[in-house]
Amino acid sequence: MSTPPPDSPPRIVPARPEALRLAGLEALNVGEGSLFVNIGERTNVAGSRAFARRIVDGDFDGALEVARRGVDAGAQAIDVNMDEAMLDSEAAMTRFLNLVASEPAIARVPVVVDSSKWSVIEAGLRCIGGAPIVNSISLKEGEVQFLRQARLARRYGAAVIVMAFDEQGQADTVERKVEICRRAYRLLTEEVGLGGG
């Protein structure tokens, strides 16, 4: 490797257009020209009886086939949810995502780690090498918990979906939705350092 002459100016880093940058093994950039992102829901035990049956029965090869068919059919990301009463959700999430990571045809797309339990989301994040999406966080348990989860998501390289809930409950009017989402956006961009341009 050669060293540049001492009087050479530093390389100027080119500006990148603003975009949501996700990744499995391949990058998925969602920007101004993007129409929508097709998220496959067939790997969600609440959204697919066939997938849920395979997971509950321990047929992880069959569950991988469900994921592969979703990606082959055009899913640009897969939503993985293991919230089922008959499952150890953390163990199922970990096992399935570790298997997904070994299947390049599936692992090429980003994963949406979906759960109502943060421990399950974090178990999933530990298995993913790309830039996933967390579904979801909210202000329901207060700012301290919201910021803790958002900082962990950022540490794992994840984007976040925010639900319009706060300490008073779910937003039920347009005004409340805007109020909660503005508050969440401010916290995410100013205190956590996520996105926001």
Side-chain angles (χ1 to χ4, degrees):
M1 182 166 136
S2 65
T3 305
D7 57 346
S8 295
R11 178 180 82 88
I12 297 173
V13 178
R16 291 191 318 174
E18 238 180 69
L20 170 62
R21 300 186 191 284
L22 305 170
L25 294 175
E26 299 173 4
L28 174 63
N29 296 311
V30 183
E32 199 172 302
S34 304
L35 297 175
F36 66 95
V37 176
N38 183 5
I39 298 175
E41 292 278 342
R42 299 287 181 196
T43 48
N44 180 327
V45 294
S48 168
R49 281 187 292 202
F51 181 74
R53 187 171 49 256
R54 285 173 174 85
I55 293 293
V56 169
D57 292 347
D59 178 12
F60 283 83
D61 288 336
L64 283 173
E65 187 53 40
V66 171
R68 186 178 297 103
R69 282 196 310 264
V71 173
D72 289 346
Q76 295 167 282
I78 57 170
D79 180 275
V80 179
N81 181 305
M82 299 292 177
D83 288 355
E84 154 62 50
M86 298 185 55
L87 286 176
D88 174 342
S89 298
E90 285 181 45
M93 180 70 78
T94 299
R95 182 171 177 197
F96 184 69
L97 289 178
N98 282 332
L99 291 168
V100 164
S102 69
E103 294 286 337
I106 305 167
R108 68 183 184 81
V109 301
V111 174
V112 178
V113 184
D114 183 356
S115 181
S116 59
K117 299 176 204 145
W118 179 258
S119 61
V120 176
I121 289 173
E122 192 166 7
L125 291 173
R126 287 188 195 110
C127 303
I128 298 171
I133 301 173
V134 166
N135 185 12
S136 62
I137 63 174
S138 76
L139 287 157
K140 183 170 39 177
E141 296 176 22
E143 283 188 13
V144 171
Q145 185 73 344
F146 179 83
L147 290 169
R148 184 183 81 74
Q149 292 174 349
R151 287 184 178 114
L152 283 168
R154 183 172 189 254
R155 186 180 319 157
Y156 285 108
V160 295
I161 295 171
V162 176
M163 298 293 286
F165 283 84
D166 69 4
E167 300 86 345
Q168 298 168 357
Q170 184 174 2
D172 55 355
T173 65
V174 171
E175 293 78 18
R176 286 269 300 135
K177 289 177 186 176
V178 170
E179 172 192 341
I180 292 169
C181 291
R182 276 194 178 134
R183 180 176 166 207
Y185 180 84
R186 182 189 58 76
L187 291 168
L188 291 171
T189 58
E190 294 176 15
E191 295 197 32
V192 178
L194 279 174

